[in-house]
């Protein structure tokens, strides 16, 4: 018999393919990311109404540099959404704040009716920039 038997080679290839398909998603979920630094271009069009919301590392909320509770923020956001529904919320969150806390805050704002949320980040030169979501 002069032909090479390809069956064992194909079997090994399929086993390796299955192993790579299972392990590849596990490798990508262990990335350590430092997201708050970003270089974004300045906004192309001015937004007429802006709410500035801050979230520091201790979890305190700020509305225009004044400490506010989450319930009071939800009430103010609901009033603002009723008056001007296209209001943009510029969110300044500390790097140390957990992703879940930021997502919870965005959920409160969206429940209130404000869907335009922009994340304010530090650029390379230290200048602030907002990127809309």
């Amino acid at each position: 018999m002069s032909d090479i038997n390809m069956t064992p080679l194909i079997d090994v290839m399929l086993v390796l393919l299955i192993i790579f398909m299972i392990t590849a998603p596990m490798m990508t979920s262990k990335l350590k990311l430092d997201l708050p630094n970003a270089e974004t271009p300045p906004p192309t069009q001015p937004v007429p109404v802006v709410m500035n919301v801050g979230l520091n590392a201790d979890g305190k909320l700020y509305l225009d540099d004044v400490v506010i509770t989450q319930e009071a923020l939800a009430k103010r956001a609901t009033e603002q959404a009723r008056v001007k529904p296209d209001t943009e919320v510029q969110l300044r969150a500390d790097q140390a704040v957990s992703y879940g806390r930021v997502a919870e805050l965005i959920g409160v704002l969206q429940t209130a009716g404000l869907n335009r949320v922009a994340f304010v980040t530090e650029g390379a030169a230290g200048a602030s920039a907002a990127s809309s979501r």
Side-chain angles (χ1 to χ4, degrees):
M1 185 157 99
S2 65
D3 294 339
I4 296 175
N5 189 2
M6 296 296 290
T7 304
L9 294 175
I10 294 172
D11 289 344
V12 169
M13 180 195 63
L14 290 175
V15 168
L16 288 175
L17 179 65
I18 291 171
I19 290 171
F20 286 128
M21 287 173 54
I22 292 172
T23 59
M26 290 181 208
M27 292 182 346
T28 59
S29 65
K30 297 196 186 243
L31 293 175
K32 304 241 191 260
L33 300 174
D34 191 19
L35 295 178
N37 293 329
E39 293 184 33
T40 58
T44 56
Q45 56 187 358
V47 178
V49 180
V50 174
M51 283 181 66
N52 292 309
V53 177
L55 184 61
N56 71 359
D58 298 331
K60 290 184 184 176
L61 280 172
Y62 294 88
L63 179 62
D64 295 328
D65 298 329
V66 177
V67 178
I68 191 169
T69 64
Q70 186 166 326
E71 295 79 16
L73 177 65
K75 184 178 176 184
R76 292 277 302 270
T78 304
E79 293 171 1
Q80 185 65 32
R82 194 174 338 111
V83 173
K84 188 88 170 146
D86 64 339
T87 300
E88 179 177 279
V89 178
Q90 291 189 350
L91 179 60
R92 290 171 172 82
D94 194 302
Q95 254 181 313
V97 175
S98 70
Y99 182 76
R101 179 71 176 113
V102 174
E104 178 186 351
L105 180 59
I106 291 172
V108 167
L109 294 169
Q110 288 180 339
T111 302
L114 297 176
N115 294 319
R116 295 184 64 180
V117 179
F119 297 103
V120 179
T121 59
E122 286 291 322
S128 293
S131 64
S132 288
R133 178 180 91 80

